[in-house]
């Protein structure tokens, strides 16, 4: 291996730019030189051994660099990041350079063995793992301290010298993808494998989940329609619908795990070994020795972090929740007041006043959501998590709880305090439909329109009216670097999560919710696809084996929905009429049924295996082979 | 490595017998010869390369063989089974022969580097992995078919040619262990590390759990005593006790996981890689190709097994449960009838008749339990599980559900149908105390007494009155081979599980239960220790990292106990008095509190990490090192 590393030259005739590095405008010459030298330097000298070229734009600025790598370098990188690829015998194996001949579609001159997204992921990984050796500071910036082993790119980012790193689009590939994805009207599945090749596993998995979830909602929607059409109000029909709904939601979440395993096995991420996680850029602490790696790095005591979480963040979140409830109560008071006012002096003005509380509440909620989001981000980064994953989990948890309360508190209040089923149905419909319309508008069409306008202006400035594919590289880069950054699938999953809440929490009151959800999701697929392809910068591919914490969130929601639906059914007048003498018997029956349903859910979750049998066998075979290999050694 | 194997000679001057093989009395000469040759044969020739010596008893029978191994052979075996040992730098690592010098206490002449239990485990593993090569049958037994790769020992066992394989006791070690364990009256912990060295991890873990559980019950017992002494009947005190109990039981189960991780890390089993599991001896099927290993072995379709489980076993278990409930109802009818009879004709005979139903019920329950146990074993082996572990899990589940119902159904009936708290407390006390006394008697003292009588008779027969330690090897073997076989920790855990049920399910009615449980467990430790050391044959050590399915069983019990305790508190007259007007409010409050408690349990189980931080760091370090090693490769 050693020999092959040294034989690898940084000069390659057909340089293909993959990743763009944008430095701050006023970056010192000395720093530029040092950075490009470190990126291009040989592995043996502690460099990344990548190809790097400055991009000269028309205004002469030299703050943008294009990074690429030779095919051979990428293959070695694929081994480093532990990519899993399909072999000629159809099994999935971790790629190593020495066993490269056993992999499907491998040929020394086949440069498409690694997809562009994979190549870009490898380059990102190599750049992030470019570490300081004996440098004490970043040349030219004495205040930007370095220590041996510190990631150079991360220090440059935190010091603002590096503005951004992003992967380039491939206009041709993107055009093809756009065409198969949403370019034509068709009934059929999304091209998930193509999406995965272009955008990576995390995004493909989101679209896979969105599609699966939409299909899974169709039975609920189909069963829900007659309730609306025939205006069914019989309790037994509602009970049947709710029971079906509860068991169905358990089944779909379990089946998703299996489908997800099938997909990620095919993509190789199911088998990919978790890499050792480096500290996140924002992590700070006293320089010490990491007990796991033995390396020098900032260390922050876990107890202090726990104290921050439990003594500051937790009370703060509780306070916010309380405040949110308090605002809701004021809203209901205002509503009542407006109603009373309208009754007393019936006039045009008073009927207009009826809408005022709702509008104020909607605005206040939106403001609270935004402030809270900032607060949550601030608090979570103040908690000083060492790993990006644990930072993400804590942030998601905080935002999830608050959003859950904000969205559903008023519905809970209407249902279980006011006992007003008519109002509940009405509010549910209003909330669901308006939130869906607003979301789609704010999420995709508005940015798309802004983007389009911006692009036109840019093109005018460049005095050219070429189509996308004919753009020169410099033009493409300067267009893409101005595009918005896609901050991950969080908001998209959150939207789906809240939708799942609308559909399942009160399903027995408003069976039509599933129909709206299905309709929304079909357009959501298109608007999200548009967003990914047209509005945002291309995001780096992120290998992942499942939807992570969202699986847990959806499962929790489905447990809560058992409780709410049982209470709703117990409150319905038809069920009440069945127990004319004793409310006690009614409540006991409802409680009993609820416990049985919960027990059934847990048994079902336990009995349905998380991976299909053939995947289990394939995984067992790999494990067996590695055990045998160990014995042979 | 190849060279070292061949340099290994089966002749060793100081042969130390470790394991005994007992063949059937009438085994053919030809078979004996073939078997001993295969055991002693070189690894390269497909043998086990162990030392084997016939034991000539005084009556001249030659059906007992002693198996041992050279120190070098045992070290190679330790590598094969993947033993994890402590290194000189205090980290735990998988033992390999080539890295032997880095391990603590290793020296080429230190024969106690491997404990005797470990050596016996290695020999058992090697014997069980002695596989047929080109033999089509067992020589001398044309009906006992073999195929390449079939375990010879397992075929011999299923054909009755091999009677038993068991490890020998070490009288000296045993005496020392007995002394520190239960030989002197002392307050203190059990010598778990010594127990582990002598009996292996599974048994040490059981005793560790028993001890931990006893300590964990002490707070409950201490709080429970004043309730009895001062005859407290206030609802608030009961509510407090029950709440404490519920949260406490969650905490102790979570903390156990952490303690268990600490122990098994020290013992090396936490890090031990799961070996590939071979089919269990009773597994049968059409000869096919195992999709995982690619080896020829019996194959049985998973769908047919599922059908057997869901279409036969499940209905059968349900029928048994129904039957058990039916018998219970007859018992309550009989009880009522006896009470009426006694009221009508008060006489000595009639007051005697009062006891008849209980006695009949107790006998019937015992009979049912036994019959059911046989049926469960028959059904589970008919289900034809490929792996021993999956066989065990299905058996445990079946037996657990039935025992749970048998023990607690009458209590549930008294509590939630008859609403008779006095009777509940009385029945609970009777059941708990009698079952504990009976258990300890039947489990340890009776077999011990029988064993002692048998030993005396044996010794008389040998015309010698020596003490245990002076016995000759032949005498020791002939004594030990007649001892009972310890069938694993199942029954011991089951007893603890039912005890946990008595303590937690109705804790708010009978706070004294914990006191009896603590008292019982203290003697239980001694009687179980006596049972292990004196009554049974030494069992093979079995490496294990946790208490497996029992953790789940105990957790499920603690969830059920939240429900029962909430109902009991809701039913108490004091709580009822708080809601004089509306039973509905009462039930709603109880249901709300119950849901909150359940939610709290789940959150606690989620928040408390399963492994202490230092163990997490140690595991992370090992993972990091192996990743680094992979990169270096």
């Amino acid at each position: 291996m050693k020999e092959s590393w040294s034989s690898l030259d940084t000069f390659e005739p057909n340089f293909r730019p993959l990743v763009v590095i944008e430095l701050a405008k006023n970056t010192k010459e000395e720093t530029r030189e040092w950075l490009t030298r470190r990126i291009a330097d040989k592995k043996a000298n502690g460099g990344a051994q990548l190809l790097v070229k400055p991009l000269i734009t028309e205004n002469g600025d030299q703050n943008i660099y294009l990074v690429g790598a030779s095919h051979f370098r990428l293959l070695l990188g694929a081994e480093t990041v532990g990519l899993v690829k399909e072999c000629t015998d159809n099994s999935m194996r971790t790629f190593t350079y020495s066993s490269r001949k056993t992999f499907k579609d491998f040929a020394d001159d086949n440069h498409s063995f690694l997809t562009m997204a994979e190549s870009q992921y490898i380059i990102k990984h190599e750049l992030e793992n470019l570490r300081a050796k004996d440098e004490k500071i970043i040349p030219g910036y004495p205040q930007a301290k370095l220590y041996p082993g510190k990631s150079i790119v991360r220090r440059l980012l935190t010091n603002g010298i590096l503005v951004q790193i992003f992967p380039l689009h491939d206009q041709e590939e993107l055009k093809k993808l756009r065409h198969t994805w949403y370019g034509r009207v068709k009934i059929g599945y999304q091209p998930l494998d193509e999406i995965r090749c272009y955008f990576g596993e995390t995004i493909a998995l989101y679209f896979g989940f969105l599609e699966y979830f939409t299909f899974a909602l169709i039975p609920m929607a189909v069963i829900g329609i007659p309730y609306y059409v025939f205006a069914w109000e019989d309790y037994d029909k509602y009970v049947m619908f709710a029971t079906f709904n509860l068991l169905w939601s358990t089944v779909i979440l379990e089946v998703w795990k299996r489908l997800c395993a099938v997909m990620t096995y095919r993509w190789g991420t199911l088998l990919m070994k978790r890499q050792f996680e480096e500290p996140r850029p924002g992590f700070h602490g006293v320089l010490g020795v990491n007990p796991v790696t033995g390396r020098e790095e900032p260390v922050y005591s876990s107890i202090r972090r726990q104290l921050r979480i439990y003594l500051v963040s937790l009370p703060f979140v509780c306070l916010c929740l309380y405040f949110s409830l308090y605002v809701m109560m004021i809203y209901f008071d205002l509503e009542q007041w407006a109603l009373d006012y309208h009754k007393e002096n019936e006039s045009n003005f008073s009927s207009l006043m009826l809408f005022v509380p709702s509008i104020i509440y909607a605005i206040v909620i939106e403001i609270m959501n935004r402030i809270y989001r900032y607060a949550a981000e601030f608090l979570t980064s103040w908690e000083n998590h060492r790993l990006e994953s644990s930072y993400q989990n804590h942030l998601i948890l905080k935002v999830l709880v608050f959003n859950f309360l904000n969205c559903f508190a008023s519905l809970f209040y209407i249902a279980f305090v006011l006992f007003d089923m008519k109002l509940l149905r009405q509010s549910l419909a209003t909330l669901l439909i308006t939130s869906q319309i607003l979301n789609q508008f704010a999420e995709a069409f508005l940015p798309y329109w802004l983007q389009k306008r911006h692009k036109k202006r840019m093109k005018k400035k460049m005095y050219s009216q070429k189509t996308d594919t004919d753009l020169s590289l410099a033009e493409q880069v300067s267009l893409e670097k101005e595009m918005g950054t896609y901050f991950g699938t969080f908001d998209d999953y959150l939207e789906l999560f809240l939708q799942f809440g609308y559909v399942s929490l009160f399903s027995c009151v408003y069976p039509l919710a599933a129909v709206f959800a299905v309709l929304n999701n079909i357009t959501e697929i298109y608007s999200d696809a548009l967003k990914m392809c047209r509005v945002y910068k291309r995001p780096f591919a992120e290998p992942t084996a499942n939807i992570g914490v969202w699986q847990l969130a959806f499962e929790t929601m489905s447990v809560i929905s058992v409780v709410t639906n049982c209470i709703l059914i117990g409150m319905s007048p038809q069920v009440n009429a069945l127990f004319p003498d004793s409310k006690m018997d009614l409540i006991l029956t409802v409680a009993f049924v609820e416990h049985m349903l919960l027990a059934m859910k847990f048994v079902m979750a336990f009995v349905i295996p998380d991976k299909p049998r053939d995947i289990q066998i394939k995984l067992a075979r790999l494990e067996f082979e590695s055990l045998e290999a160990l014995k042979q050694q």
Side-chain angles (χ1 to χ4, degrees), chain A:
Chain A
M1 194 62 78
K2 280 277 157 63
E3 291 77 52
S4 28
W5 275 109
S6 62
S7 75
L8 174 71
D9 209 337
T10 46
F11 175 78
E12 177 116 336
N14 42 359
F15 172 78
R16 185 196 186 196
L18 288 168
V19 171
V20 177
I21 294 181
E22 187 186 355
L23 297 179
K25 281 239 159 82
N26 53 356
T27 310
K28 292 189 182 135
E29 188 54 37
E30 174 186 11
T31 318
R32 282 166 215 260
E33 217 162 80
W34 168 74
L35 181 65
T36 47
R37 188 172 42 78
R38 293 288 268 121
I39 292 175
D41 219 357
K42 289 225 157 61
K43 261 279 176 194
N45 303 334
Q49 212 158 350
L50 299 171
L51 309 171
V52 59
K53 256 173 67 174
L55 181 82
I56 289 114
T57 47
E58 72 263 34
N59 48 12
D61 278 356
Q62 207 200 18
N63 62 332
I64 289 173
Y65 290 87
L66 298 174
V67 184
S70 71
H71 182 53
F72 174 57
R73 175 69 188 90
L74 287 175
L75 291 179
L76 293 179
E79 183 175 333
T80 313
V81 299
L83 279 196
V84 173
K85 288 279 202 179
E86 197 176 357
C87 285
T88 39
D89 63 345
N90 292 328
S91 66
M92 303 298 296
R93 273 159 219 281
T94 307
F95 178 81
T96 60
Y97 186 73
S98 53
S99 67
R100 64 192 181 281
K101 304 272 187 218
T102 60
F103 286 85
K104 209 171 178 173
D105 299 328
F106 184 88
D108 279 322
D109 55 347
N110 175 14
H111 288 210
S112 64
F113 175 68
L114 296 173
T115 66
M116 188 174 175
E118 279 167 346
S119 306
Q120 288 167 336
Y121 172 70
I122 291 166
I123 288 185
K124 175 189 169 220
H125 180 266
E126 294 294 338
L127 284 176
E128 281 182 349
N129 276 285
L130 186 60
R131 287 166 194 292
K133 285 195 302 179
D134 37 15
E135 297 101 330
K136 289 273 174 286
I137 50 151
I138 290 179
Y141 294 85
Q143 79 285 7
K145 298 248 183 328
L146 283 176
Y147 51 87
K150 172 75 187 176
S151 162
I152 289 173
V153 165
R154 292 192 173 188
R155 173 55 82 228
L156 287 170
L157 270 173
T158 45
N159 277 65
I161 304 165
L162 191 71
V163 178
Q164 59 178 345
I165 302 185
F166 65 89
L168 270 179
H169 267 300
D170 179 335
Q171 296 299 346
E172 212 169 309
E173 278 297 313
L174 185 63
K175 206 175 169 187
K176 261 194 245 163
L177 178 65
R178 279 211 308 258
H179 181 69
T180 52
W181 199 355
Y182 64 90
R184 52 205 166 136
V185 178
K186 45 122 210 206
I187 307 286
Y189 300 109
Q190 295 173 87
L192 287 179
D193 289 334
E194 280 84 14
I195 298 172
R196 176 242 163 188
C197 282
Y198 196 84
F199 287 112
E201 287 79 12
T202 307
I203 286 163
L205 220 46
Y206 163 69
F207 282 99
F209 183 69
L210 176 58
E211 181 178 284
Y212 169 76
F213 189 62
T214 310
F215 276 109
L217 283 177
I218 287 176
M220 286 195 204
V222 169
I223 299 178
I225 288 172
Y227 284 80
Y228 179 75
V229 175
F230 303 117
W232 283 346
E233 293 278 342
D234 315 304
Y235 87 97
D236 52 345
K237 294 207 180 79
Y238 272 90
V239 168
M240 263 173 56
F241 183 72
T243 315
F244 168 76
N245 222 335
L246 298 175
L247 298 181
W248 184 242
S249 67
T250 314
V251 171
I252 61 174
L253 289 176
E254 288 300 311
V255 171
W256 166 250
K257 280 192 220 159
R258 296 165 65 95
L259 278 178
C260 181
V262 173
M263 260 194 291
T264 53
Y265 176 81
R266 193 174 64 223
W267 295 343
T269 45
L270 188 65
L271 292 170
M272 218 165 147
K273 292 236 166 51
R274 212 164 50 85
Q275 296 284 316
F276 179 76
E277 270 189 278
E278 298 295 334
R280 58 188 296 268
F283 177 68
H284 56 85
V286 192
L287 209 62
V289 173
N290 183 320
V292 174
T293 58
R295 285 187 201 147
E296 221 177 34
E297 70 169 40
V299 171
Y300 188 78
S301 113
S302 151
I303 294 162
R304 284 176 64 190
R305 186 179 305 125
Q306 299 284 331
L307 285 178
R308 285 185 173 188
I309 292 175
Y310 289 110
L311 296 185
V312 180
S313 295
L314 189 66
F316 174 79
V317 170
C318 291
L319 205 77
C320 285
L321 296 180
Y322 176 78
F323 186 71
S324 153
L325 286 179
Y326 194 79
V327 168
M328 185 194 76
M329 295 311 296
I330 293 175
Y331 157 65
F332 278 109
D333 283 350
L334 273 181
E335 187 97 304
Q336 193 57 46
W337 175 82
L339 214 67
D340 291 347
Y341 182 84
H342 178 65
K343 263 186 199 152
E344 271 172 40
N345 1 270
E346 255 181 79
S347 68
N348 276 345
F349 175 72
S350 75
S351 57
L352 256 176
M353 279 296 282
L354 272 179
F355 290 99
V356 172
S358 297
I359 295 169
I360 294 178
Y361 186 53
I363 295 170
V364 169
I365 276 201
E366 194 54 37
I367 294 172
M368 283 191 335
N369 256 339
R370 270 161 203 258
I371 295 177
Y372 180 81
R373 185 72 167 265
Y374 281 113
E377 273 169 20
F378 173 78
L379 269 179
T380 317
S381 75
W382 179 71
E383 281 162 21
N384 201 10
H385 294 273
R386 191 179 160 273
L387 301 180
E388 185 63 29
S389 60
S390 111
Y391 170 84
Q392 285 297 339
N393 285 343
H394 277 85
L395 181 62
I396 289 181
L397 190 66
K398 283 195 191 73
V399 176
L400 219 55
V401 170
F402 191 74
N403 270 279
F404 180 84
L405 204 82
N406 253 351
C407 275
F408 299 117
S410 63
L411 296 177
F412 274 94
Y413 186 79
I414 293 170
F416 305 127
V417 180
L418 302 182
F419 298 114
D420 190 339
M421 290 305 120
K422 275 255 164 68
L423 184 60
L424 176 62
R425 199 171 301 173
Q426 196 185 313
S427 308
L428 190 61
T430 321
L431 269 173
L432 180 66
I433 297 168
T434 52
S435 77
Q436 289 184 345
I437 292 173
L438 280 178
N439 259 325
Q440 296 221 346
F441 182 73
E443 218 184 312
F445 294 110
L446 187 66
Y448 179 63
W449 180 71
L450 287 175
Q451 176 66 19
K452 217 155 192 182
R453 225 180 48 164
H454 169 77
K455 228 178 197 168
K456 249 184 207 154
R457 231 182 313 143
M458 288 287 284
K459 279 186 196 164
K460 266 189 195 142
K461 233 167 81 187
M462 293 179 199
Y463 303 108
S464 71
Q465 287 289 352
K466 308 166 200 169
T467 57
D468 282 1
T469 37
D470 299 334
L471 284 172
S472 80
L473 189 63
E475 286 164 338
Q476 190 195 337
V477 169
S478 63
L479 265 182
E480 284 184 17
K481 84 183 168 67
E482 299 299 326
M483 286 169 119
T485 305
Y486 180 67
F487 285 113
T489 46
F490 181 84
D491 286 298
D492 297 318
Y493 276 116
L494 183 64
E495 207 185 316
L496 273 188
F497 173 74
L498 295 176
Q499 183 190 69
F500 184 57
Y502 288 124
V503 172
S504 61
L505 283 179
F506 308 98
S507 65
C508 62
V509 172
Y510 191 55
L512 217 56
V515 178
F516 286 108
V518 168
L519 291 179
N520 172 69
N521 288 358
I522 293 173
T523 56
E524 177 91 20
I525 291 176
Y526 286 95
S527 68
D528 279 352
L530 184 77
K531 185 175 81 178
M532 291 310 306
C533 295
R534 292 286 200 146
V535 178
Y536 289 120
K537 264 196 264 297
R538 184 173 188 174
F540 275 110
E542 211 50 69
T544 169
N546 51 53
I547 61 171
V549 71
W550 291 104
Q551 183 81 37
L552 190 70
F554 275 80
E555 280 167 8
T556 310
M557 181 70 95
S558 105
V559 168
I560 297 173
S561 71
V562 171
V563 181
T564 51
N565 277 296
C566 283
I567 301 177
L568 284 177
I569 288 175
M571 274 167 25
S572 73
Q574 293 91 348
V575 174
N576 271 269
L578 277 188
F579 296 88
D581 306 323
S582 155
K583 284 264 173 286
M584 225 177 88
D585 285 354
L586 165 70
I587 300 174
L588 288 177
T589 314
V590 169
F592 180 76
V593 169
E594 186 226 329
H595 280 83
M596 285 302 104
L597 280 172
L598 281 178
M600 220 148 114
K601 269 183 90 75
F602 279 102
V603 170
M604 271 165 74
F606 194 77
V607 165
I608 301 176
D610 284 359
K611 295 189 185 89
R613 215 179 139 67
D614 63 318
I615 299 285
Q616 278 176 36
I617 287 176
K618 281 171 184 164
L619 292 180
R621 181 156 57 199
L622 280 175
E623 209 190 317
F624 174 76
E625 277 173 10
S626 78
L627 278 173
E628 288 295 295
L630 223 67
K631 273 188 201 158
Q632 296 292 316
Q633 226 180 25

